Structures are given as structure tokens and as C-alpha cells.
Amino acid sequence: MLRPGDSGAGVTELQLRLKQVGLWSGDASGEYDSRTESGVRTYQVTRGVLTDESGVYGTATRARLESETSKPQAGH
């Protein structure tokens, strides 16, 4: 589970996956900031993922996002 305030490789991957679905622009910072939270929240609403807390990258949100994106390659 990732939430605002978290940072690291997992957040970078999340941001790159959000980019694949058009909910992130620019470089992946690896910081779970308000832009990341907003992207996750928008993704949850548009996909009907209601079991995770809004704006939190939990199990259901991760499973859905990973099902429609490919794992980002290192260095991208």
C-alpha cells in the first residue's frame, strides 16, 4: 500500500503506470505528493475502484492498474 508522504521506487513505478493511462505527465519524482494522490483518486473514480481509501494505492487499485499497464522498464 502506498499513500501520500511515501517515496521510493514503488511510487516511481506507480507514477509511470499512471502515465500509461494518461493520468500523469512529466517525470516520475518518486514522491507520493498531491499530484500522485490526485492521479490515483481520478483513476479510482473512473475505474470504479471503491474498496481502497480514496487517493491511496491499495490492493484493489494496484491490481486494476497493473492489469491494464505494463511494468515500466528501469530508467524510464
Side-chain angles (χ1 to χ4, degrees), residues 10-75:
V11 178
T12 300
E13 181 178 327
L14 165 59
Q15 292 166 336
L16 292 171
R17 286 182 185 272
L18 288 172
K19 188 178 236 181
Q20 290 179 46
V21 295
L23 294 174
W24 184 265
S25 61
D27 294 330
S29 66
E31 300 292 325
Y32 204 120
D33 55 12
S34 60
R35 269 182 64 209
T36 308
E37 182 180 12
S38 177
V40 170
R41 184 176 289 120
T42 300
Y43 181 81
Q44 290 168 325
V45 169
T46 60
R47 301 309 193 274
V49 179
L50 306 175
T51 53
D52 290 334
E53 183 181 339
S54 181
V56 172
Y57 191 51
T59 307
T61 307
R62 178 184 292 257
R64 181 68 188 263
L65 184 59
E66 287 183 353
S67 77
E68 65 179 280
T69 58
S70 57
K71 184 168 179 64
Q73 299 301 309

